[in-house]
Amino acid sequence: MTTVLFDVPGPRAKTRYRAYAVVGSVAIAALVGYVVWRFFDTGQFEGRKWSWFEYKQIQLSLIDALGRTLSAFAVGAVLALLFGAVFAAARLSDHKWVSAPAAVIVELFRAIPLVIMMFFFYYGLPSTGIKLSAFTAVVLSLMLYNGSVLAEVFRAGINSLPKGQSEAAYALGMRKTQVMVLVLLPQALRAMLPTIISQLVVLLKDTALGFLITFEELLYWGRQIGGQLQFGRPLIPTMIVVAAIYIGLCLLLTWFANYLEKRNRRNKKVIKLDEDKAKMVQLGEASGVSGTMGAV
């Protein structure tokens, strides 16, 4: 038995793959154990390197840095979603003078690395007389790059819908804008929700690049605290805390995506039950009519 991409493994191959999995797991566990041992050996878990966390001012600065990270993420995510929706609709336009420039813009900002955009907005534009804050430069870069990716996600989601959806809407007298906004886009959003959330996770992690242009987010804060001589330069302990915060935020977004997906499935089940009930009622009415006709 085969599939399109590979042959289905037989008993020997499955045994071999299990052995590879065990060896790989042991190797990864050994590598992690070695890293942790090196941390212990170099004193990274000593109390003096973690004493910085006891100071209230440092705790408040951590909360401020987390707030700036979340602010950049929230604003960038909203703008990226709007950018993606607008340019996906523009790329799907029947007018070439709309779709062609939109395609150029989307492909351009998808191709430019995010760091280059941040450097351009923060260090390049002042030479032309336009000065942006670090927060604005980070948000604009996140919007343009991730918005371009989301535009392609939305476009793929809309194109994946059955043509009967738009044809039925046109038959009801809707204009193309109404069909796109009221019929196609909501369905595409539900269908592409996992991909959208995954891209938002990428956007959240990309906020860390803001430290390169002195945006005082979590990574920038961690570098500052990690270089403090009075605490023994606790760079690794600080980065462990920062990494744990990022992992927690990403897991929270993943949980939210799973929650929305399960809720969407429950709604579909309710709709299916309602449709089945309606069919049963129609069949019952038809049987009643047939029985009456037979009695006559």
Side-chain angles (χ1 to χ4, degrees):
M1 182 178 178
T2 60
T3 63
V4 176
L5 298 179
F6 65 96
D7 294 333
V8 175
R12 291 184 180 180
K14 289 181 179 179
T15 303
R16 187 167 59 250
Y17 293 158
R18 291 191 186 100
Y20 292 159
V22 171
V23 172
S25 300
V26 171
I28 293 173
L31 178 61
V32 172
Y34 175 75
V35 171
V36 173
W37 174 76
R38 288 297 300 166
F39 284 172
F40 273 108
D41 189 53
T42 55
Q44 300 301 326
F45 296 110
E46 293 180 359
R48 66 186 183 89
K49 288 199 173 184
W50 292 83
S51 60
W52 55 270
F53 204 64
E54 299 175 356
Y55 290 85
K56 184 177 180 180
Q57 185 59 42
I58 291 181
Q59 295 173 5
L60 292 176
S61 65
L62 171 60
I63 294 174
D64 290 339
L66 177 60
R68 284 188 286 271
T69 295
L70 292 177
S71 298
F73 164 71
V75 177
V78 171
L79 293 178
L81 288 170
L82 292 174
F83 184 96
V86 170
F87 278 85
R91 290 207 64 180
L92 292 168
S93 174
D94 295 331
H95 304 288
K96 287 294 184 182
W97 61 273
V98 175
S99 61
V104 171
I105 291 173
V106 168
E107 294 300 329
L108 174 66
F109 288 116
R110 282 178 63 203
I112 299 177
L114 185 60
V115 175
I116 293 179
M117 280 194 279
M118 289 185 181
F119 273 74
F120 173 77
F121 288 130
Y122 190 71
Y123 294 115
L125 287 183
S127 62
T128 63
I130 303 173
K131 184 172 178 59
L132 300 178
S133 65
F135 176 82
T136 305
V138 169
V139 168
L140 279 178
S141 302
L142 293 174
M143 177 194 72
L144 292 174
Y145 177 77
N146 293 280
S148 298
V149 175
L150 288 172
E152 290 299 286
V153 171
F154 292 154
R155 186 170 70 93
I158 292 172
N159 285 333
S160 67
L161 296 175
K163 292 184 178 180
Q165 298 286 332
S166 56
E167 291 174 355
Y170 288 133
L172 293 175
M174 288 186 177
R175 294 190 297 271
K176 184 168 184 178
T177 304
Q178 293 176 315
V179 173
M180 184 66 66
V181 175
L182 300 177
V183 178
L184 299 181
L185 194 55
Q187 295 185 71
L189 285 173
R190 288 194 295 271
M192 304 304 293
L193 185 61
T195 308
I196 293 170
I197 298 296
S198 298
Q199 190 61 37
L200 292 182
V201 170
V202 173
L203 190 151
L204 172 62
K205 293 187 290 186
D206 285 344
T207 58
L209 296 175
F211 91 98
L212 295 172
I213 59 171
T214 69
F215 177 52
E216 297 180 359
E217 42 75 55
L218 274 175
L219 188 58
Y220 185 89
W221 171 87
R223 188 181 64 172
Q224 283 189 324
I225 300 300
Q228 294 291 327
L229 185 60
Q230 58 181 330
F231 301 124
R233 297 186 184 277
L235 183 61
I236 291 179
T238 308
M239 289 302 130
I240 291 175
V241 173
V242 171
I245 293 174
Y246 272 112
I247 291 172
L249 293 174
C250 292
L251 290 177
L252 185 62
L253 270 177
T254 303
W255 170 85
F256 182 65
N258 293 331
Y259 167 76
L260 291 178
E261 186 176 2
K262 290 179 181 177
R263 185 177 178 181
N264 189 30
R265 288 178 181 175
R266 287 198 300 267
N267 291 338
K268 286 182 178 179
K269 289 179 181 178
V270 172
I271 292 172
K272 187 178 185 302
L273 289 174
D274 291 342
E275 291 176 351
D276 292 342
K277 185 177 179 181
K279 290 179 180 178
M280 291 176 65
V281 171
Q282 291 177 358
L283 289 173
E285 291 177 352
S287 300
V289 171
S290 300
T292 303
M293 292 179 65
V296 172

